[in-house]
Amino acid sequence: MENVAKTAVRYLPIVIVMVAWEAIARLNLVDTLALPPLSKVAAAWFDLMRDGELVSNGASSLYRGSAGLLLAVLIGGTLGMIMARCRIFDMLINPLVELFYPLPKSALIPVTVLWLGFGDGSKILLIFLGCMIPVTIGAYNGARGSDHALLWSARSMGAGSFRMMWDVVLPSALPELLNGIRTALALAFILLVSSELIVSQRGFGYLIGYLGSTGSYEGMYAVVLTVALLGFAVDRIYQLLMQWLLRWRD
Amino acid sequence: MDGQAQIVVERVNHTYRPPRGRPVLALSDISLDIRPREFLALLGPSGCGKSTLLYLVGGFLPIEAGRILVEGKPVAAPGPDRGIVFQHFALFPWKTVRGNVLYGLERQGLPRPEREKRAQAFIDMVGLHGFEDSYPSQLSGGMRQRTAIARTLAIDPSILLMDEPFGALDAQTRSLMQTELLKIWQRSPKTVIFVTHDVQEAVYLAERVAVMSARPGRVKAIVETKFPNRDPSILRSKEFVEKVDQLWNMVRDEAIKAQEATGS
Ligand SMILES: Nc1ncnc2c1ncn2[C@@H]1O[C@H](COP(=O)(O)OP(=O)(O)OP(=O)(O)O)[C@@H](O)[C@H]1O
Ligand SMILES: [Mg+2]
């Protein structure tokens, strides 16, 4: 009961914003074209759901986002751990990571289109490249911090090099790696929607751009809110997953 | 002598070279022979290189000068023939007590039912029944230490390297663990190198006690401490008390030297 009350208080500001939005729009305090009432946005959302636009565009966005992120986690994570354990790799790759780090990844949108065209491939590549940086850095920093006594311990009980990576280096790196992935998750949403806005015929970003340019602002708001909510939900679920994976920490 | 010694340490040096700061000579020209199935205790002031010596025998540190032979073969890498209990436990924090004790058994390729039975037996032995599913962060220092002991004993290594293995235990638990260790050692004889700061413990458990000098460490003296039996009643016998006194004085001299060295 107390928990329910706490949650209610926590989300109260959101409710206030929703009510204020509706009121401002209804009272014609701003142009209703620029800010349609929330109730109309909700109606537009149901329309978009009914005709399947939201679901089909959402599905292709989700596919691109998760494929890019998955590749970034697998390849970036492995790369970061190997860099931490192997000096030659570190010397070769680290300068590249540092060079690539400050580059605004959205600048790569035209480049990836040039390479892979307007379809899924260019979006996946863009998200992969952008997300790889925080994942690699997280894995690298985490793995470098692994306690040598734990490595010794595993060695003396008969673990080989691969097993030590999997059994000791990876779990040691996990807290920082998971934080890196969380950053990557947020970045994936940004890159996904902005690239779809600019160059795409499908996806959330495309739908936002299309509805905006044809003057269906209620629909546009509905998609924007959907993306925001989805991002929030994904981050929440991810945090729960993180807590579970790191349950061994005090 | 060479022929019967299980572990031979011959004129070994070790220098730590921290990435920042000046090199530290931890061991200088140290030699030590350990017979097969011997229980040897290692006494010496803090910082004299006891842990370093164990790491070298364990194969964790490179041997720069001199040589270390185990059963006639030079030590090259760590292996499950030499089980080690680390001074700071080195438990996997992401594994439970059971997971930690199982780890070595998994690496040895024991079939599942057998390794679970074995792990449970050693967890019970160190008195951690009921804490199988706890993570190290949820245990006291002494409980972590006992987990580390169970983990190493479970793989049944022929050589046991123990670095102050009972240091975090209260007197009661320590006495119980000493008895268990002696039982294991008598049942399946192993060569044990046992580092401790407790002179009485060294005399009670070991057949020989090596006293190390202040850093850079070398062996200052070796004292035979074999008694007809290891009944706790010997703790009050005259010979026992005398041995403890004799060793205590040696260790104290070295501790004072160590103090002076860091003081100047
Ligand atoms: N990683 C390291 N880097 C630099 N110097 C080190 C390192 N480890 C140990 N030393 C130095 O080597 C010396 C021996 O250390 P060691 O840990 O072997 O001592 P010890 O006899 O086990 O001491 P204690 O009884 O306190 O555990 C110490 O004086 C210490 O300063
Ligand atoms: Mg030590």
Side-chain angles (χ1 to χ4, degrees):
Chain A
M1 205 52 224
E2 200 181 315
N3 274 339
V4 174
K6 256 191 200 153
T7 315
V9 170
R10 198 156 147 212
Y11 291 116
L12 194 63
I14 296 174
V15 177
I16 293 173
V17 168
M18 285 167 71
V19 173
W21 178 345
E22 184 73 18
I24 289 167
R26 291 275 168 201
L27 297 173
N28 277 324
L29 293 179
V30 296
D31 188 355
T32 39
L33 261 184
L35 191 74
L38 192 55
S39 50
K40 290 208 173 152
V41 173
W45 188 84
F46 280 107
D47 283 342
L48 283 169
M49 279 303 275
R50 200 169 318 121
D51 63 21
E53 283 293 328
L54 203 54
V55 175
S56 67
N57 282 292
S60 63
S61 282
L62 242 45
Y63 162 65
R64 293 160 174 173
S66 30
L69 195 62
L70 191 71
L71 282 175
V73 168
L74 291 180
I75 296 175
T78 313
L79 195 66
M81 289 204 309
I82 294 177
M83 275 165 65
R85 301 288 312 151
C86 170
R87 186 165 306 170
I88 296 168
F89 251 84
D90 195 5
M91 273 163 47
L92 286 175
I93 313 271
N94 218 339
L96 298 179
V97 174
E98 272 169 30
L99 203 69
F100 196 58
Y101 179 74
L103 175 79
K105 305 305 168 299
S106 46
L108 289 178
I109 295 174
V111 180
T112 54
V113 170
L114 184 67
W115 288 350
L116 296 179
F118 291 88
D120 292 338
S122 60
K123 315 293 175 299
I124 294 174
L125 180 65
L126 178 76
I127 292 168
F128 164 65
L129 289 174
C131 292
M132 197 158 113
I133 295 296
V135 174
T136 308
I137 292 174
Y140 177 73
N141 288 337
R144 270 169 58 106
S146 53
D147 183 355
H148 68 97
L150 296 185
L151 291 165
W152 286 5
S153 189
R155 268 305 282 293
S156 80
M157 287 188 281
S161 302
F162 177 78
R163 282 238 72 108
M164 292 216 297
M165 268 291 192
W166 188 255
D167 293 345
V168 183
V169 180
L170 178 62
S172 303
L174 206 56
E176 292 211 41
L177 175 62
L178 289 175
N179 273 328
I181 295 176
R182 191 170 169 211
T183 309
L185 205 58
L187 198 58
F189 269 88
I190 297 170
L191 290 174
L192 180 69
V193 174
S194 44
S195 67
E196 286 174 347
L197 255 173
I198 300 172
V199 282
S200 188
Q201 285 98 39
R202 306 195 53 74
F204 281 133
Y206 159 76
L207 199 57
I208 292 170
Y210 171 80
L211 293 170
S213 64
T214 55
S216 358
Y217 297 122
E218 288 139 20
M220 183 186 83
Y221 271 105
V223 182
V224 170
L225 285 182
T226 308
V227 175
L229 262 154
L230 206 64
F232 173 78
V234 167
D235 189 58
R236 262 307 142 97
I237 294 168
Y238 183 75
Q239 281 190 57
L240 288 177
L241 178 75
M242 233 171 113
Q243 261 173 32
W244 181 77
L245 284 172
L246 299 179
R247 65 192 178 285
W248 44 273
R249 297 209 298 186
D250 31 24
Chain B
M1 191 62 209
D2 245 22
Q4 68 166 118
Q6 168 107 343
I7 303 171
V8 179
V9 177
E10 213 172 82
R11 316 203 57 173
V12 168
N13 287 344
H14 191 78
T15 309
Y16 285 103
R17 294 190 177 77
R20 272 172 287 279
R22 57 192 173 75
V24 180
L25 181 64
L27 294 174
S28 159
D29 204 22
I30 186 172
S31 298
L32 183 64
D33 285 352
I34 296 131
R35 304 169 192 143
R37 302 175 172 192
E38 177 173 37
F39 200 126
L40 179 104
L42 212 53
L43 279 176
S46 177
C48 75
K50 302 180 296 293
S51 299
T52 307
L53 182 60
L54 286 198
Y55 296 157
L56 285 164
V57 174
F60 302 113
L61 295 173
I63 295 162
E64 294 163 342
R67 56 179 197 161
I68 297 182
L69 306 179
V70 170
E71 315 222 45
K73 286 189 282 290
V75 165
D81 58 321
R82 280 151 293 148
I84 181 160
V85 179
F86 288 97
Q87 188 171 4
H88 304 291
F89 323 144
L91 295 174
F92 301 125
W94 48 85
K95 284 185 183 285
T96 59
V97 168
R98 182 187 284 113
N100 267 287
V101 178
L102 276 171
Y103 186 77
L105 301 172
E106 282 161 13
R107 298 285 75 74
Q108 302 308 302
L110 237 65
R112 178 180 280 268
E114 203 172 316
R115 62 180 189 238
E116 307 230 305
K117 218 176 93 195
R118 205 171 158 77
Q120 190 61 53
F122 280 89
I123 290 170
D124 293 346
M125 189 203 85
V126 298
L128 286 177
H129 181 80
F131 291 93
E132 291 86 350
D133 297 317
S134 301
Y135 289 97
S137 64
Q138 302 163 333
L139 301 176
S140 73
M143 290 160 96
R144 288 180 207 173
Q145 187 155 46
R146 283 181 278 154
T147 309
I149 293 168
R151 176 173 75 169
T152 303
L153 290 179
I155 15 182
D156 195 24
S158 61
I159 294 173
L160 262 179
L161 309 171
M162 305 181 92
D163 201 347
E164 298 183 37
F166 304 151
L169 306 182
D170 61 274
Q172 221 75 46
T173 316
R174 177 185 277 243
S175 161
L176 289 173
M177 296 296 302
Q178 287 173 349
T179 311
E180 288 297 340
L181 180 61
L182 284 178
K183 257 200 254 167
I184 287 178
W185 177 66
Q186 277 149 2
R187 196 170 55 219
S188 64
K190 302 171 186 310
T191 310
V192 183
I193 306 183
F194 188 100
V195 173
T196 177
H197 281 293
D198 183 337
V199 179
Q200 182 171 332
E201 176 172 72
V203 177
Y204 175 58
L205 292 177
E207 298 172 306
R208 286 195 302 162
V209 177
V211 180
M212 284 176 71
S213 66
R215 188 176 66 80
R218 53 163 66 94
V219 176
K220 181 187 170 184
I222 293 187
V223 177
E224 293 274 346
T225 51
K226 221 169 186 164
F227 290 92
N229 63 62
R230 284 162 195 280
D231 196 88
S233 65
I234 64 160
L235 292 175
R236 280 182 300 277
S237 72
K238 185 159 162 287
E239 298 99 306
F240 187 88
V241 175
E242 274 172 9
K243 274 278 192 283
V244 172
D245 263 358
Q246 180 196 351
L247 280 160
W248 216 95
N249 288 330
M250 288 184 184
V251 176
R252 199 193 43 192
D253 289 348
E254 290 308 320
I256 291 169
K257 275 187 214 157
Q259 279 276 327
E260 283 166 354
T262 50
S264 59

